[in-house]
Amino acid sequence: MKKLSRKEEELMQVLWDLEKGFVKDVIEQLPDPKPHYNTVATLMKRLEEKGYLGHKEYGGTYEYYPLVGKEVYRQTLMKKVLHTFFDNSYLNLLAYFAKEEKMSAEELEQLVKMIDKENKS
């Protein structure tokens, strides 16, 4: 799976929420200042070339839809982060959040409960 730029990820977030849409629909969902139509159209074409989007054509206008689900993208991205920055160690990842992001004891307890629940399933 090819890496996405920050702007490409932003467009994918919109399309995951919309499930499908034309360039104008995507632009409407983006924060101000709105990017130019041609900029968004170019990024969407690039996302299609990378295999993230598909389209249906309606008289020269394209309606885009995601080919890669948000969860699949998240899993791929998190595996890369885990490998690149945390030596494939979930413990290192969680220690980072506990230390650098000031994860509270309550949040850690909730995490332990989630892990216990998943292991019992």
Side-chain angles (χ1 to χ4, degrees):
M1 197 175 288
K2 292 188 178 183
K3 187 175 189 291
L4 298 182
S5 70
R6 187 178 55 80
K7 289 293 185 186
E8 290 170 334
E9 282 182 352
E10 185 177 28
L11 295 183
M12 287 303 299
Q13 289 288 346
V14 170
L15 282 162
W16 284 320
D17 290 343
L18 292 175
E19 296 180 3
K20 61 182 176 179
F22 297 94
V23 172
K24 67 177 182 59
D25 300 325
V26 172
I27 292 171
E28 287 173 7
Q29 300 300 313
L30 294 172
D32 290 327
K34 304 284 188 201
H36 191 272
Y37 182 96
N38 290 343
T39 301
V40 175
T42 299
L43 286 170
M44 291 175 75
K45 185 174 279 294
R46 192 176 305 151
L47 285 166
E48 189 171 26
E49 289 168 0
K50 289 182 176 183
Y52 285 88
L53 295 179
H55 76 265
K56 290 183 184 176
E57 187 173 355
Y58 298 97
T61 304
Y62 291 177
E63 182 180 43
Y64 291 93
Y65 53 89
L67 294 175
V68 175
K70 186 175 187 175
E71 188 58 33
V72 169
Y73 182 71
R74 180 184 359 221
Q75 288 172 351
T76 303
L77 186 62
M78 290 307 298
K79 284 179 185 177
K80 183 174 175 82
V81 168
L82 188 67
H83 173 75
T84 304
F85 298 104
F86 299 101
D87 301 322
N88 282 328
S89 168
Y90 290 105
L91 183 59
N92 290 347
L93 175 73
L94 292 174
Y96 168 81
F97 282 106
K99 181 180 176 189
E100 300 297 326
E101 301 299 323
K102 310 291 189 254
M103 190 175 202
S104 70
E106 181 180 301
E107 289 172 318
L108 287 170
E109 285 177 28
Q110 289 174 350
L111 183 59
V112 169
K113 287 178 185 176
M114 288 172 58
I115 292 168
D116 283 344
K117 184 179 177 183
E118 285 296 316
N119 287 337
K120 291 177 184 176
S121 297

